[in-house]
């Protein structure tokens, strides 16, 4: 009898959840205030991160988004990066018409699969699977579900309850479960001005967030929109174990594990750079000579494989091959500066057309 009751309750719960999802596929159930100045509406977005150990976490995401017009097509977000340390376990999309009727199903092996690197990169093991879909009519709704196992844990997925301009959010949820003995750090920004609740230390929920319209001369979106970032205090980056209690720990780890031992130069190069700077009177003059030497000798070529995405090539190899990426050329330049007695600092920055600061109050892999 008890078993029968449990089965009935389970059936009722499943039916209720299914009915709730079906309700979200119908465009007519979108609240009017979320349609205003919106090209798309996130009906539901559930993100769950299960931390297994310092070198493993499982990421799951179930996302329902309604695209209202052509401008909203790029808001779908149905893609997933992967490499040798990021394994996609599940990936599926279902498309629904405006009334909530399923019209298409796309399985994992039907996603487009391409290299996830820009021009100038010689080789990288980073790839991305993404949805390529041409809608027949607007509006339409997309259900995107994925499960991914990460064996490199330097980057914990962040959370933006409002994902950008002209997109509203009906329901969004972010949760971290930690079954390891590793501490998790979380920092939230700009939550107080929005309908976002903290249910527990690592569990947040947002409801009915209206879209934001860009304004002339306004600061960058990231400075005032709600944002959450997370990091492990112990992590693994492509096979290299790291410590991240604070910026001192993180800086020492980077210097000792990624930079140390990479700045040896051939003797002839040491002699050449000393001769070129022999008549320079100031460190600034020496730095200009070193920079011009590096520019004339090398070119930009990127190789992003494994820890090579963060660990620079040896300065000796850069000199021999006459190429390197941003970190390799930086490291090579620092080695040259050191040889002529000029103090410099290997520094991580954001390389983009937007001016963004590294958060000095939250140590993590940034930039």
């Amino acid at each position: 009898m008890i078993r029968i009751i449990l089965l009935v309750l389970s059936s009722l719960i499943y039916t209720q959840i299914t009915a709730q999802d079906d309700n979200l596929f119908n465009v007519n159930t979108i609240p009017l205030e979320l349609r205003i100045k919106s090209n798309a509406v996130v009906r539901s977005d559930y993100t769950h991160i299960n931390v297994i150990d310092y070198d493993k976490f499982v990421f799951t995401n179930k996302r329902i988004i309604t695209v209202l017009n052509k401008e909203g097509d790029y808001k779908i977000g149905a893609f997933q990066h992967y490499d040798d340390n990021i394994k996609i376990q599940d990936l599926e999309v279902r498309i629904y018409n405006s009334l909530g009727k399923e019209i298409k199903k796309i399985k994992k092996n039907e996603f487009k699969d391409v290299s996830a690197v820009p021009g100038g990169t010689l080789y990288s093991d980073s790839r991305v699977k993404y949805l390529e879909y041409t809608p027949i009519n607007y509006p339409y709704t997309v259900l995107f579900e994925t499960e991914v196992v990460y064996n490199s844990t330097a980057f914990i997925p962040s959370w933006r309850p409002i994902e950008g301009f002209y997109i509203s959010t009906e329901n969004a949820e972010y949760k971290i479960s930690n079954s390891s003995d590793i501490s998790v750090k979380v920092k939230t920004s700009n939550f107080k001005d929005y309908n976002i609740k903290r249910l527990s230390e690592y569990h947040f929920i947002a409801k009915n967030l209206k879209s934001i319209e860009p304004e002339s001369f306004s600061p960058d979106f990231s400075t005032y929109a709600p944002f959450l970032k997370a990091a492990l205090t112990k992590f693994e980056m492509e096979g290299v174990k790291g410590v991240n209690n604070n910026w001192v720990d993180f800086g020492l780890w980077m210097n000792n594990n990624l930079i140390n031992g990479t700045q040896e130069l051939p003797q002839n190069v040491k002699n050449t750079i000393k001769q070129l700077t022999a008549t320079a009177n100031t460190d600034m003059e020496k730095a200009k000579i070193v920079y011009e030497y590096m520019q004339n000798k090398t070119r930009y070529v990127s190789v992003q494989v494994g820890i090579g995405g963060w660990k620079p090539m040896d300065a000796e190899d850069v000199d021999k091959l006459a190429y390197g990426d941003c970190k390799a050329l930086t490291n090579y330049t620092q080695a040259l500066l050191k040889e002529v007695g000029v103090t410099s600092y290997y520094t991580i920055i954001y390389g983009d057309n937007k001016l963004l600061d590294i958060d000095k109050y939250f140590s993590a892999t940034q930039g």
Side-chain angles (χ1 to χ4, degrees):
M1 183 65 180
I2 294 174
R3 184 178 178 184
I4 294 173
I5 292 173
L6 288 174
L7 287 172
V8 171
L9 286 173
S10 298
S11 177
L12 288 172
I13 291 170
Y14 176 79
T15 303
Q16 184 179 12
I17 293 172
T18 303
Q20 288 173 348
D21 280 353
D22 288 346
N23 194 46
L24 295 175
F25 299 140
N26 191 322
V27 174
N28 296 319
T29 62
I30 299 175
L32 179 60
E33 64 270 20
L34 298 184
R35 297 189 185 206
I36 298 173
K37 297 180 180 178
S38 295
N39 296 323
V41 180
V42 176
R43 308 301 309 276
S44 175
D45 189 295
Y46 177 70
T47 297
H48 181 226
I49 298 164
N50 184 18
V51 179
I52 309 297
D53 207 339
Y54 78 94
D55 60 351
K56 183 178 181 180
F57 70 84
V58 180
F59 169 85
T60 57
N61 179 239
K62 181 177 181 180
R63 174 181 175 84
I64 301 173
I65 181 169
T66 296
V67 178
L68 300 176
N69 54 53
K70 186 175 178 60
E71 297 299 319
D73 284 337
Y74 78 98
K75 300 286 190 180
I76 291 174
F79 65 89
Q80 181 60 56
H81 290 272
Y82 72 98
D83 58 28
D84 290 342
N85 287 299
I86 303 174
K87 305 295 185 184
I88 300 174
Q89 302 298 309
D90 186 37
L91 192 66
E92 184 178 285
V93 157
R94 295 173 187 258
I95 312 291
Y96 299 83
N97 66 14
S98 61
L99 297 178
K101 180 181 178 181
E102 184 179 326
I103 56 176
K104 191 174 181 65
K105 180 179 179 180
I106 299 96
K107 296 182 179 180
K108 177 181 174 181
N109 59 1
E110 296 174 305
F111 279 67
K112 288 287 183 180
D113 190 328
V114 298
S115 177
V117 295
T121 298
L122 182 63
Y123 180 74
S124 172
D125 58 353
S126 179
R127 300 188 64 82
V128 61
K129 286 181 176 287
Y130 71 93
L131 172 68
E132 185 176 67
Y133 174 70
T134 302
I136 302 172
N137 294 299
Y138 295 94
Y140 66 95
T141 297
V142 176
L143 166 63
F144 174 63
E145 295 183 276
T146 185
E147 179 177 304
V148 185
V149 176
Y150 287 75
N151 291 307
S152 185
T153 57
F155 297 92
I156 301 295
S158 57
W159 186 48
R160 290 192 182 278
I162 302 178
E163 299 174 3
F165 295 121
Y166 300 117
I167 180 169
S168 58
T169 301
E170 188 172 349
N171 297 281
E173 191 171 352
Y174 180 94
K175 182 179 181 180
I176 298 176
S177 300
N178 186 6
S179 54
S180 74
D181 59 356
I182 310 301
S183 297
V184 179
K185 302 191 300 181
V186 169
K187 182 178 179 181
T188 62
S189 304
N190 307 317
F191 272 30
K192 64 180 181 179
D193 297 327
Y194 299 90
N195 185 22
I196 303 172
K197 294 182 179 179
R198 189 171 197 159
L199 303 182
S200 66
E201 188 175 9
Y202 306 125
H203 191 185
F204 301 81
I205 190 166
K207 288 184 176 293
N208 297 321
L209 306 183
K210 298 178 183 179
S211 67
I212 298 175
E213 188 176 17
E215 297 181 7
S216 299
F217 308 110
S218 67
D220 188 80
F221 180 83
S222 63
T223 63
Y224 57 87
F227 179 56
L228 179 151
K229 51 191 169 187
L232 302 183
T233 56
K234 293 182 182 178
F235 63 91
E236 181 165 299
M237 180 187 282
E238 307 292 345
V240 180
K241 189 173 182 179
V243 180
N244 179 33
N245 294 303
N246 49 54
W247 277 121
V248 173
D249 281 347
F250 189 84
L252 286 172
W253 167 78
M254 177 161 283
N255 183 73
N256 296 338
N257 292 275
L258 304 186
I259 310 300
N260 191 34
T262 65
Q263 295 189 344
E264 185 61 38
L265 293 167
Q267 188 59 49
N268 66 308
V269 175
K270 294 179 181 180
N271 296 337
T272 298
I273 200 64
K274 285 179 180 178
Q275 290 172 5
L276 290 173
T277 58
T279 59
N281 296 317
T282 66
D283 284 353
M284 182 61 73
E285 290 179 15
K286 290 180 180 179
K288 287 181 178 179
I289 293 169
V290 166
Y291 187 69
E292 289 175 0
Y293 176 83
M294 182 275 296
Q295 275 194 316
N296 293 331
K297 185 176 178 62
T298 64
R299 60 194 176 95
Y300 181 90
V301 175
S302 177
V303 179
Q304 305 281 334
V305 183
I307 194 63
W310 280 80
K311 182 179 176 67
M313 289 169 54
D314 289 349
E316 193 170 13
D317 289 337
V318 173
D319 186 81
K320 177 183 176 180
L321 300 170
Y323 69 71
D325 58 14
C326 54
K327 59 188 177 295
L329 298 180
T330 296
N331 194 52
Y332 179 62
T333 303
Q334 186 179 36
L336 293 168
L337 289 170
K338 187 183 297 183
E339 198 59 39
V340 297
V342 176
T343 301
S344 63
Y345 301 93
Y346 185 97
T347 307
I348 298 173
I349 62 172
Y350 279 101
D352 201 348
N353 58 357
K354 296 179 181 179
L355 295 177
L356 296 175
D357 292 328
I358 299 289
D359 187 345
K360 63 182 179 180
Y361 301 109
F362 189 84
S363 60
T365 43
Q366 303 178 49

